[in-house]
Amino acid sequence: QIMVKRDAAGALNLQTLAEGWAPPAAAKAESAPAEGNKSADHKPWTFEVAKFNLDGLGLNYADDSIKPGFAVGLKDIQISTSGITQDLSKALPLKASLNIESGGKIEANGQLTPADASTQLTLNVQDLGLQLANPFMADFVKLELVSGTASTQGKLTFNPSQTQYQGSFALANLRLNEKGSTKPFLVWKNLNAPQLTASPEGVRISRLDLKGL
């Protein structure tokens, strides 16, 4: 179980831990080999990891720089890939999934190129709880997300020449209350976009189906 916390000034607790373990700059300079000692026929290290699996990891994240505070717990994190080498331009197969403690599951399956973070992934987000968005809404609207879930299935493409997501999207059981009261501002049973395309240029939705308004 990993605990990551960002304080009100924006500093991460992992930064503090890393600084405590890192040797002083002078010590690193003394330990560095002289250029003249390097062998003329020196060859860079090579490595290969046939398979990598991470299973059952948990992570809690808290951010005090966001008011009134943001926290999320992730559990059952699973990541698997194979064929890892020093060649960062090589596309690696990637399969990953996680559960959110407040509700929801995210799955990704596809390829990742480490050199430029290019990705081609199939995404499946199931019943992601929308209440996580409340801290980000607090400064802009006098509304509170009481309930609601988001789901999407589609394909994400990210590379130096293209950023695009194509798939379906649904918001279910949404209830927005006026902040500080139980009076509903907006309620619906299901809002569904069977086909959408999102990119930095905008979002294109072919059709919207609304039920239970």
Side-chain angles (χ1 to χ4, degrees):
Q1 187 79 18
I2 299 174
M3 177 66 194
V4 180
K5 186 171 184 179
R6 182 172 177 155
D7 63 23
L12 289 170
N13 62 331
L14 295 182
Q15 290 175 299
T16 305
L17 292 173
E19 289 167 1
W21 281 95
K28 288 193 284 187
E30 291 172 3
S31 63
E35 287 292 328
N37 293 335
K38 289 186 177 180
S39 171
D41 60 351
H42 172 74
K43 294 182 179 179
W45 283 86
T46 62
F47 65 89
E48 182 175 359
V49 179
K51 183 175 283 189
F52 172 84
N53 288 303
L54 178 67
D55 191 7
L57 179 68
L59 186 147
N60 290 318
Y61 176 73
D63 195 333
D64 291 336
S65 68
I66 299 171
K67 301 301 179 185
F70 172 76
V72 62
L74 308 178
K75 60 182 181 179
D76 302 326
I77 299 173
Q78 298 181 352
I79 302 172
S80 65
T81 186
S82 60
I84 304 171
T85 70
Q86 72 284 349
D87 183 4
L88 300 182
S89 64
K90 175 185 175 184
L92 302 176
L94 177 65
K95 187 174 182 180
S97 65
L98 60 84
N99 292 318
I100 296 100
E101 289 184 352
S102 56
K105 182 175 185 177
I106 301 174
E107 298 174 322
N109 192 7
Q111 289 187 328
L112 167 68
T113 303
D116 58 4
S118 294
T119 56
Q120 185 78 39
L121 295 174
T122 299
L123 294 180
N124 184 15
V125 179
Q126 304 172 18
D127 301 326
L128 179 65
L130 296 179
Q131 292 94 323
L132 286 173
N134 276 317
F136 303 96
M137 297 169 48
D139 291 338
F140 303 101
V141 294
K142 300 297 183 182
L143 299 171
E144 181 182 5
L145 269 166
V146 178
S147 66
T149 61
S151 300
T152 183
Q153 295 82 38
K155 182 176 289 186
L156 172 67
T157 301
F158 174 79
N159 57 53
S161 60
Q162 183 184 27
T163 300
Q164 182 177 269
Y165 180 74
Q166 289 183 306
S168 61
F169 182 76
L171 291 175
N173 300 314
L174 181 80
R175 182 183 179 93
L176 275 169
N177 281 0
E178 295 180 6
K179 200 166 186 178
S181 78
T182 58
K183 184 178 180 181
F185 175 80
L186 181 64
V187 179
W188 70 57
K189 185 67 176 176
N190 190 58
L191 178 68
N192 181 44
Q195 186 176 358
L196 66 82
T197 301
S199 70
E201 287 72 39
V203 179
R204 187 169 64 252
I205 299 174
S206 61
R207 189 180 85 240
L208 274 176
D209 298 326
L210 178 61
K211 296 180 180 179
L213 183 65

